[in-house]
Amino acid sequence: MTGVQTCALPISWAPFSFRDAQGKFSGIDADVLALLGRRLGVQFEAATRDDWPAVYAGAQAGEYDALVSVARTPEREAEFFFTQPYLTFPLVIITRAREPILWTLEDLRELRVTSPRGYATTLMVRRMLPGLDIAETSTVEEALRLVSAGEADATLTNLPNVSFVVKTRSEEHTS
């Protein structure tokens, strides 16, 4: 591998990939790519898109050399080659504070569920709970807003993503 390698990333998936206050590509993915680039003697160029569906469509069209931070799913294995995961995170079910805790996916059966379009969690829930009506959003933040507003009962995502969104939004409201 030499030269510049183009890696596709959604720009709205903090803390993995996002633009910082100065508009610079930041996050866990940026750090991993910088480290990997130094070790391999390669420069990685981030080809950012607004959301995951746009990134995935570009990858399917062959616009990039690699995808970063992509969860392996049966649907994706049919189209792409995967390395071993370099990080893994627990998935969590998010509800409003005054609602009962949901312990399993089965607990979602009778609820209004929202989840980002094309995310691994959305694909997994569709496979495991066929027939569940899921209102799809563009981002995790949008899904969380629907739950917070009472327009959905629950959403699913990985723990670092929801922790980052909740922390940064609560800091914005207390500043």
Side-chain angles (χ1 to χ4, degrees), residues 83-102:
T83 64
Q84 291 299 313
Y86 52 89
L87 295 170
T88 59
F89 303 101
L91 296 179
V92 292
I93 301 171
I94 307 299
T95 61
R96 286 179 300 287
R98 289 187 167 77
E99 298 298 323
I101 293 173
L102 304 179

Side-chain angles (χ1 to χ4, degrees), residues 73-75 91-94 102 104-116 118-136 154-158:
T73 67
E75 298 86 351
L91 296 179
V92 292
I93 301 171
I94 307 299
L102 304 179
T104 70
L105 291 180
E106 287 295 323
D107 295 336
L108 298 174
R109 283 211 183 271
E110 303 301 319
L111 301 179
R112 297 173 300 161
V113 177
T114 185
S115 190
Y119 276 33
T121 51
T122 309
L123 299 172
M124 176 193 67
V125 171
R126 287 197 184 284
R127 261 192 324 277
M128 295 177 78
L129 298 173
L132 181 68
D133 185 28
I134 300 175
E136 293 187 352
T155 190
L156 296 96
T157 189
N158 64 66

Side-chain angles (χ1 to χ4, degrees), residues 8-12 19 46-52 54-55 58 63-64:
L9 305 148
I11 206 60
S12 57
R19 292 205 188 280
T48 58
R49 301 294 181 264
D50 289 336
D51 58 23
W52 174 246
V55 167
E63 296 176 14
Y64 324 113

